[in-house]
Amino acid sequence: MRRLLSLLILLFALPAAAGLFDNRPSATLGGLNNSADFLPVREAFRLSLVSTTPEQLKLRFVAEPGYYLYRHRFQFKANDASVVVGNAKLPVGEQKNDEYFGEVEVYYGVLDVELPLQNPDNRPFTLQVTYQGCADKGLCYPPETESFQIGDPPKPATPLTDANGAPNDDTALSWRSVALFFLAGLGLTFTPCVLPMLPILSGVVLRGQTGSVRSFLLSLAYVLPMAGGFAVLGALMGIFGAELNLQARLQSPWILVPFALFFVAFALAMFGLYELRLPQVLSHRLDRLAGSAKGGSFIGAALLGTVSSLLVSPCVSAPLAGALLYISASGDALGGGLKLFALGLGMGTPLILFATGGSALLPRSGPWMVSVRNIFGVLLLAVAVWMLERVLPGPIALALWGLLAAGAALFLGTLEFTPKTSRQKLAQLLGLALMVYALSAWVGALQGGSDPLRPLPRPVSVAGASGVSEGWHTIATPAELDAQLDAARAAGQPLMLDWYADWCISCKVIEREVFADPQIAPRLADYRLIRFDITDSNPEQRALLDRYKLFGPPAILFFGRSGQELTEVRVVGEIDASQFAERLDRARSSL
C-alpha cells in the first residue's frame, strides 16, 4: 500500500508539477473561453509604484501564476523632457528558447524594477510604463501602457487606472491560495510529526474527555494559537521577502543550486535517512514548558498550542520551507500571514474533529504514515529539479525528470519478478508506466527535447508550409474588417478570422502546425480567410479587441453565411490540429 500511494502521487506530481512550473507555451486541451480561461491584462500583471525619490523610482510587477513578462518589451518614459529616466535595472530573467523568435528573456512572479531618475528641479511629471506579457496557455497580450503621476513633494504614487478604473491593489489576497494552504495543512496532519500532537491534546488539554462542548472549545483554544504562530512566521517572511526581493535574487545559479540541494536534503530526511529535530537544549526547554502548562484550562490549552507549533515546525520543515519560500517571493506580509494561518488551521482541523467526535473519526497510525513522508520527499525532489531547470540546459533538466520517474518506478518494484500480491502487481504495473515515461524523457533529451510534458519532440512536417498563406487576406484596420465581413455576407460565404501578431509565439505555432496540416488546409477552402494583424496594437486595434471581448491573439472566430459570429466554436489560445478539426466540424453544422 505504501508503494501504491507513492506511485499515485507521482503519476500526478511528476509531469503535472513540471507543468505547473513550466515556462513554455503549451497546447490547451480544447477551445478556451476567453473570459473564463484568461485574466484581463491588468489582473494578470499587477503593476505598482513602490517608492520614489528625486534620484530613483522603484516599480513592482506581480504576474499571476502561469503568466510571464518579456524583458525586451519594457519601455519607461516621462512626459516632461526635462526629466530623464535612465536605463532600467532589471534582474536576470528566465531564458525561453523559441523556434520562431530564438532566445528571449522573461519574468514570472514578482519583478522589481529600479529606474534611475534625473529630476534636479523635483518637477512633477507623468511616468508611462509599457510592458507586454503572455500566458503559458498560449494567449499573448498586446503591449499595455500604464501611467503614474509623480508629484512634488515625492510621495508614493498610484496607478491612474486599473482594470476596473480604480487604483491597483498590490496586496490583493488570493483566497484560492489560502484554500490551497488549508488543504496542504490537512495533508501535513497525517504525518508522523503532527499525529503525536493527538496525545498532547487528549491527555493534557482534554484530560481524556472528548465529545463535549467544552472539549470543542478547549481544542479550539489549542489550535488557534498554533495557527497563529504559523501566521506570524508567514507575515515575517512576507516582509522579509519584500525587503530582499528573494524572487529576483533566486535567479542566480549561486542561489538556485544551494536551494535545490536544500530541498534534496529535506527529501532525504523525508525518506528516513536521518531525523530533523530541534537542538536538544532548546527541545528540552520546550518540553518542560509544555509539561508545566496546566491542562484542562483555556490558558493552558493556548500555551500548549503555541509550544506545539514550535515543536512541530522543525519536523515538517521540508514542506514548510517551500511554503515560506513561496510567501517570501510574493512580498505580501498580510497574505503570507493568512496563508500560513490557513496552513495551521488545516493541521488543526482533524484535532478539533478528534476532540469533538472522539478518536473514531481519525485513522489510526500505521505503516501508511511512512507513505505520506515518502510522497512529500518525492515532491521535494520535483521542486529541486524545477529549480535546477532555470540554470541547466533543457535536455539535462528533462533527463533529471526521467531519472526521478525511473527511481520511483524501481522503488515500486517494476523490475522485480518475485511472487506478488494483487496490490503489488498493480503498483508494479503503474511503475512500468513511470519507467516508460523515464525512457521517453531520456530519448527526448538525447534528441534535444526539453519539455517534460512532451518528452519526445514531435517531427514537424514542412509539407504545405510554403503555401500556408495562400488564400489568406491580411488586414490591419477595423474598416478593412468591416468591409470583408460585408463582402462575405453579400456573397453568402462563411468567414474565418484569425487574430495574429508578429510578437505572438502561439500564432506562429497555429499557422505552421494547424493551418498547414494536410488534414486541415483543404477544409479551409470554403471560407473567406481573413488574418487581422494586430502587431502595432494601436488604439483602433485595441478598441476592436474590446468589441469582440478579446484580450489578444491568438484567437480564431467563425462567421456564418449571414455574417453572424458562431460564438460556440470560437477559439482563444493555442490549439492543435485534431482539436481544430473538431471545431471545423461543429462550425460546418452551424453554417
Side-chain angles (χ1 to χ4, degrees), residues 453-472:
L453 294 178
R454 292 179 180 176
L456 293 175
R458 294 186 300 173
V460 179
S461 174
V462 296
S466 59
V468 67
S469 297
E470 295 181 3
W472 287 90

Side-chain angles (χ1 to χ4, degrees), residues 25-299:
S26 59
T28 56
L29 298 178
L32 295 173
N33 178 285
N34 196 79
S35 60
D37 291 275
F38 296 104
L39 296 171
V41 60
R42 297 196 182 184
E43 292 183 16
F45 310 105
R46 297 185 180 274
L47 172 61
S48 62
L49 185 58
V50 178
S51 63
T52 173
T53 67
E55 295 79 25
Q56 179 178 278
L57 301 175
K58 184 175 181 180
L59 299 165
R60 173 167 295 153
F61 290 90
V62 180
E64 290 295 311
Y67 295 81
Y68 57 89
L69 290 162
Y70 288 109
R71 179 188 181 111
H72 67 283
R73 302 295 288 182
F74 287 122
Q75 294 181 13
F76 307 95
K77 298 180 181 178
N79 69 334
D80 191 330
S82 64
V83 179
V84 179
V85 179
N87 294 329
K89 297 179 181 179
L90 295 166
V92 178
E94 299 183 23
Q95 295 295 323
K96 292 175 68 67
N97 187 1
D98 182 76
E99 61 177 308
Y100 302 102
F101 297 150
E103 288 288 338
V104 293
E105 193 170 352
V106 299
Y107 297 100
Y108 285 82
V110 180
L111 169 65
D112 281 351
V113 181
E114 295 181 356
L115 290 176
L117 193 66
Q118 295 181 19
N119 187 12
D121 299 330
N122 202 19
R123 298 169 59 92
F125 68 96
T126 299
L127 176 70
Q128 295 180 336
V129 181
T130 301
Y131 58 91
Q132 185 179 14
C134 291
D136 281 336
K137 288 183 179 180
L139 177 74
C140 286
Y141 294 88
E144 181 75 6
T145 299
E146 294 190 40
S147 298
F148 295 84
Q149 184 63 46
I150 311 299
D152 183 20
K155 60 182 179 180
T158 57
L160 296 180
T161 58
D162 68 356
N164 300 316
N168 281 330
D169 183 10
D170 190 35
T171 60
L173 298 177
S174 172
W175 294 106
R176 181 182 300 178
S177 298
V178 173
L180 290 176
F181 270 80
F182 178 81
L183 293 177
L186 287 176
L188 288 175
T189 301
F190 303 106
T191 63
C193 300
V194 181
L195 279 181
M197 292 167 58
L198 284 175
I200 299 176
L201 179 64
S202 176
V204 182
V205 177
L206 303 179
R207 293 181 176 175
Q209 301 297 319
T210 60
S212 65
V213 175
R214 180 174 175 81
S215 299
F216 169 77
L217 295 176
L218 283 171
S219 62
L220 199 62
Y222 176 80
V223 168
L224 288 179
M226 180 186 71
F230 286 111
V232 172
L233 186 60
L236 291 176
M237 280 304 294
I239 298 173
F240 181 74
E243 291 294 327
L244 294 183
N245 189 19
L246 290 183
Q247 195 274 343
R249 296 174 187 269
L250 285 178
Q251 303 305 315
S252 168
W254 297 101
I255 302 296
L256 286 171
V257 173
F259 265 96
L261 296 176
F262 169 81
F263 281 109
V264 170
F266 276 112
L268 296 178
M270 284 291 177
F271 294 141
L273 269 67
Y274 44 80
E275 293 290 333
L276 290 175
R277 299 290 180 186
L278 282 174
Q280 272 194 340
V281 176
L282 182 58
S283 178
H284 288 166
R285 291 182 179 179
L286 290 174
D287 288 339
R288 287 197 299 270
L289 181 60
S292 63
K294 181 182 178 182
S297 68
F298 292 103
I299 296 178

Side-chain angles (χ1 to χ4, degrees), residues 4 23 62 64 88 94 98 101 110 131 189 199 223 234 260 300 332 349 365 373 421 424 436 507 543 548 562:
L4 180 59
N23 300 334
V62 180
E64 290 295 311
E94 299 183 23
D98 182 76
F101 297 150
V110 180
Y131 58 91
T189 301
V223 168
D332 184 1
T349 296
S365 60
R373 294 187 62 174
T421 64
Q424 290 173 330
V436 170
C507 296
Y548 285 100
S562 64

